[in-house]
Amino acid sequence: MKKVPLLAADWAPIVVLVRPQLAENIGMAARAMMNCGLTELRLVGPREPHLSDKAVAASSGAQAVLENARVFDSLPQALADVRLVLATTARRRDMTKPVHTPSKAVKLLRAAADRHQKAAVLFGAERTGLENDEIVSANGIIEIPLNPKHRSLNLSQAVLIVGYEWFKSRRTADASHLETGGSPPAAHAETEAFLGCLEEALAARGYFRWPDKEARMKRNLRNIFMRPALTSAEIRTLHAVVKKLTS
Amino acid sequence: MKKVPLLAADWAPIVVLVRPQLAENIGMAARAMMNCGLTELRLVGPREPHLSDKAVAASSGAQAVLENARVFDSLPQALADVRLVLATTARRRDMTKPVHTPSKAVKLLRAAADRHQKAAVLFGAERTGLENDEIVSANGIIEIPLNPKHRSLNLSQAVLIVGYEWFKSRRTADASHLETGGSPPAAHAETEAFLGCLEEALAARGYFRWPDKEARMKRNLRNIFMRPALTSAEIRTLHAVVKKLTS
């Protein structure tokens, strides 16, 4: 097959498929991306290879998206250079996060693109969706409005809805954005590094004293610091705060 | 399989698939309809039976839509009782017709529903789309905005986009809200009290060592913790964190 040229880089959001099960669904997601002018695909622990015949056939001409896709072992690796992360979910979670409709979410994504800041949208595995530990890494949630009695959506269809809203938003004026006073939003890896330091300092002082609650406590902490979409300068401030408090 | 109850009749538009080729696509279209609260399906000259195992499996729980579907020999028969007909097309036709985006089209469909007038949306065969003679039967055209270099859309995905816009058009809720998992947003005084504790702990350790920068440093800190609209539970967590770090 001939390589299809991708669109020029326009800081369109990266699509991250987390633990996708079927090659065919990866291909169909690539097709939906291409329909909507999205070209950067990242895969976290896919079960089947994304360049298999089944995936390529299902991509229906969007092979270039598959060929340029990158595979990662873990979600933090896939998000290391990303500054705005939104997670798609079909159902409500017991978690404190801003929840956006797709049409509102693309305004945030568009604002990030206008500032040349990488943004990503996470899609979970076909049957199970994203796990809470994965959602917690996001700055916000995208909930697709659907018939509450029949929410089950094919993976590529979820990608299509978000992509369609993205494409639709291409001509609209600038949405509200976060004024950051010169400092860019922190890269995901910066926020991760701070959370690592904080957890370490807390662990050393016996904060996680109930082993069965440790995961949940860490999730709550992570949620507090992921939600505000901290800037690089703010991450430096927080490092200094923890260092000072533990001095 | 158990019959899934349909939504109450709300004069949602009828989906008309014209000469669909594959049973699987009919099933997937039914699933997309159910996702969006559309329940009335009409088929014109389908090549494969819409109640075959393949169709039912692909419908993924939307079997009731298939069971209630009606098959017609010709498009005029399928549209006999319909008062507003919109035809979906992927490309421009040499034809004088109003062309609507999906979001504009659902306003017309919603207006018809409000008047208890039956409306229908036509979708053509997988490869060829609707023929000009079929489009001519419509009052208007729905053109889905997509990447002009890659417009090819799966049949069920075209149904999903129109259905999604239909479903969205009845939503009145805010576009974004904060999902707080049970805990209320913190009262302003709670956040203030936490910031007071944090500043005190930092001051005691010499964090604000340059008097002329103290106000700015406090403002930066405040900004970090005000922006995420913390919940009461999260404020309690942060109190515990500071207490532990300074222990």
Side-chain angles (χ1 to χ4, degrees), chain A residues 11-14 40 42 70 81-85 112-113 115-120:
Chain A
W11 297 88
I14 299 158
E40 188 168 351
R42 296 184 183 184
R70 289 164 63 198
D81 59 342
V82 174
R83 290 168 194 277
L84 173 67
V85 181
R115 280 163 193 73
H116 292 192
Q117 293 163 355
K118 285 194 187 176

Side-chain angles (χ1 to χ4, degrees), chain A residues 95 99 165 168 227-228, chain B residues 35 165 168 177 179 227-228:
Chain A
M95 208 179 286
V99 178
E165 289 284 7
K168 252 178 44 165
R227 206 161 73 229
Chain B
N35 284 146
E165 289 283 7
K168 245 175 57 162
H177 67 278
E179 180 63 44
R227 208 159 74 231

Side-chain angles (χ1 to χ4, degrees), chain B residues 118-129:
Chain B
K118 285 194 187 176
V121 181
L122 312 186
F123 297 86
E126 288 88 338
R127 279 178 183 280
T128 52

Side-chain angles (χ1 to χ4, degrees), chain A residues 23 51 59-60 67 99 106 114 121 146 166 181 192 206 219 226 237:
Chain A
L51 284 170
S59 77
S60 195
E67 284 170 356
V99 178
V106 297
D114 288 345
V121 181
L146 288 175
W166 166 260
E192 281 289 339
R219 206 154 58 220
M226 284 293 180
T237 296

Side-chain angles (χ1 to χ4, degrees), chain B residues 58-157:
Chain B
S59 78
S60 195
Q63 190 176 354
V65 171
L66 295 176
E67 285 171 355
N68 289 303
R70 290 162 64 197
V71 178
F72 297 86
D73 290 332
S74 73
L75 185 58
Q77 287 175 313
L79 298 179
D81 59 342
V82 175
R83 290 165 196 278
L84 172 68
V85 180
L86 299 177
T88 55
T89 65
R91 60 184 194 282
R92 287 291 158 84
R93 311 297 181 120
D94 182 23
M95 208 179 286
T96 307
K97 285 270 190 219
V99 177
H100 310 288
T101 60
S103 56
K104 179 69 198 304
V106 298
K107 293 196 176 110
L108 302 175
L109 297 169
R110 187 64 67 185
D114 289 346
R115 286 168 187 72
H116 290 195
Q117 294 165 353
K118 285 194 187 176
V121 181
L122 312 186
F123 297 86
E126 288 88 338
R127 279 178 183 280
T128 52
L130 291 167
E131 296 182 356
N132 283 348
D133 282 348
E134 293 159 348
I135 293 175
V136 141
S137 300
N139 304 110
I141 286 173
I142 303 178
E143 196 179 73
I144 299 176
L146 288 175
N147 179 359
K149 287 175 187 150
H150 195 82
R151 280 188 181 283
S152 142
L153 204 60
N154 176 282
L155 176 56
S156 70
Q157 288 180 314

Side-chain angles (χ1 to χ4, degrees), chain B residues 10-27:
Chain B
D10 63 350
W11 298 88
I14 299 158
V15 169
V16 182
L17 303 185
V18 182
R19 294 171 287 103
Q21 304 291 295
L22 302 176
E24 190 181 14
N25 284 335
I26 301 174

Side-chain angles (χ1 to χ4, degrees), chain A residues 7 31-32 34-35 37 60-62 92-104 144-154 156-157 160-161 164-165 167-168 178 198 201-202 205-207 221 223-225 227-230 234 237-238 240-241 244-247, chain B residues 7 28 31-32 34-37 59-62 102-103 144-154 156-157 160-161 164-165 167-168 171 175-181 198 201-202 205-207 221 223-225 227-231 234 237-238 240-241 244-247:
Chain A
L7 292 183
R31 175 184 183 179
M34 197 69 150
N35 284 147
S60 195
R92 289 292 158 84
R93 310 296 180 120
D94 183 22
M95 208 179 286
T96 304
K97 286 276 189 210
V99 178
H100 310 288
T101 59
S103 55
K104 181 68 197 306
I144 299 176
L146 288 175
N147 178 1
K149 287 174 184 148
H150 194 82
R151 280 186 182 283
S152 142
L153 204 60
N154 176 279
S156 70
Q157 287 180 316
L160 179 71
I161 293 285
Y164 163 74
E165 289 284 7
F167 193 82
K168 252 178 44 165
L178 185 65
L198 178 61
L202 287 168
R205 285 162 183 79
Y207 180 73
L221 270 182
N223 207 16
I224 288 172
F225 292 100
R227 206 161 73 229
L230 296 166
E234 287 174 332
T237 296
L238 287 170
V241 163
K244 189 54 82 176
L245 289 177
T246 55
S247 65
Chain B
L7 292 184
M28 284 167 64
R31 177 183 182 180
M34 197 68 149
N35 284 146
C36 305
S59 78
S60 195
S103 56
I144 299 176
L146 288 175
N147 179 359
K149 287 175 187 150
H150 195 82
R151 280 188 181 283
S152 142
L153 204 60
N154 176 282
S156 70
Q157 288 180 314
L160 180 71
I161 294 288
Y164 163 75
E165 289 283 7
F167 193 83
K168 245 175 57 162
R171 269 176 64 100
S176 298
H177 67 278
L178 186 65
E179 180 63 44
T180 61
L198 178 62
L202 287 168
R205 285 162 182 77
Y207 180 75
L221 270 180
N223 204 21
I224 288 173
F225 292 100
R227 208 159 74 231
L230 297 166
T231 66
E234 288 174 331
T237 296
L238 287 170
V241 163
K244 189 55 80 177
L245 289 176
T246 54
S247 66

Side-chain angles (χ1 to χ4, degrees), chain A:
Chain A
M1 248 191 254
K2 223 177 129 218
K3 254 203 175 185
V4 179
L6 298 178
L7 292 183
D10 63 349
W11 297 88
I14 299 158
V15 169
V16 182
L17 304 184
V18 183
R19 294 171 286 102
Q21 304 291 296
L22 302 176
E24 189 182 14
N25 284 334
I26 301 174
M28 284 167 64
R31 175 184 183 179
M33 286 173 64
M34 197 69 150
N35 284 147
C36 305
L38 302 176
T39 54
E40 188 168 351
L41 176 61
R42 296 184 183 184
L43 303 162
V44 178
R47 202 179 61 183
E48 296 182 354
H50 65 287
L51 284 170
S52 65
D53 290 349
K54 270 201 294 183
V56 171
S59 77
S60 195
Q63 191 176 353
V65 171
L66 296 176
E67 284 170 356
N68 289 303
R70 289 164 63 198
V71 177
F72 297 85
D73 289 331
S74 74
L75 186 57
Q77 287 174 313
L79 298 178
D81 59 342
V82 174
R83 290 168 194 277
L84 173 67
V85 181
L86 299 177
T88 55
T89 66
R91 58 183 196 284
R92 289 292 158 84
R93 310 296 180 120
D94 183 22
M95 208 179 286
T96 304
K97 286 276 189 210
V99 178
H100 310 288
T101 59
S103 55
K104 181 68 197 306
V106 297
K107 292 190 177 124
L108 303 175
L109 296 170
R110 189 63 70 183
D114 288 345
R115 280 163 193 73
H116 292 192
Q117 293 163 355
K118 285 194 187 176
V121 181
L122 312 185
F123 297 86
E126 288 88 338
R127 280 177 183 280
T128 51
L130 291 166
E131 296 183 354
N132 282 347
D133 281 346
E134 293 159 349
I135 292 176
V136 119
S137 297
N139 304 110
I141 285 173
I142 303 179
E143 194 179 75
I144 299 176
L146 288 175
N147 178 1
K149 287 174 184 148
H150 194 82
R151 280 186 182 283
S152 142
L153 204 60
N154 176 279
L155 176 56
S156 70
Q157 287 180 316
V159 172
L160 179 71
I161 293 285
V162 173
Y164 163 74
E165 289 284 7
W166 166 260
F167 193 82
K168 252 178 44 165
S169 74
R170 72 202 180 284
R171 276 188 303 255
T172 59
D174 212 274
S176 62
H177 67 277
L178 185 65
E179 184 57 50
T180 59
S183 177
H188 197 78
E190 294 177 79
T191 314
E192 281 289 339
F194 164 69
L195 283 165
C197 288
L198 178 61
E199 286 175 3
E200 204 177 307
L202 287 168
R205 285 162 183 79
Y207 180 73
F208 305 111
R209 57 195 178 283
W210 304 284
D212 57 322
K213 288 191 181 160
E214 181 171 341
R216 187 183 170 81
M217 290 170 87
K218 285 187 175 172
R219 206 154 58 220
N220 288 344
L221 270 182
R222 180 164 294 257
N223 207 16
I224 288 172
F225 292 100
M226 284 293 180
R227 206 161 73 229
L230 296 166
T231 66
S232 297
E234 287 174 332
I235 292 287
R236 287 194 295 276
T237 296
L238 287 170
H239 271 295
V241 163
V242 169
K243 193 175 168 193
K244 189 54 82 176
L245 289 177
T246 55
S247 65

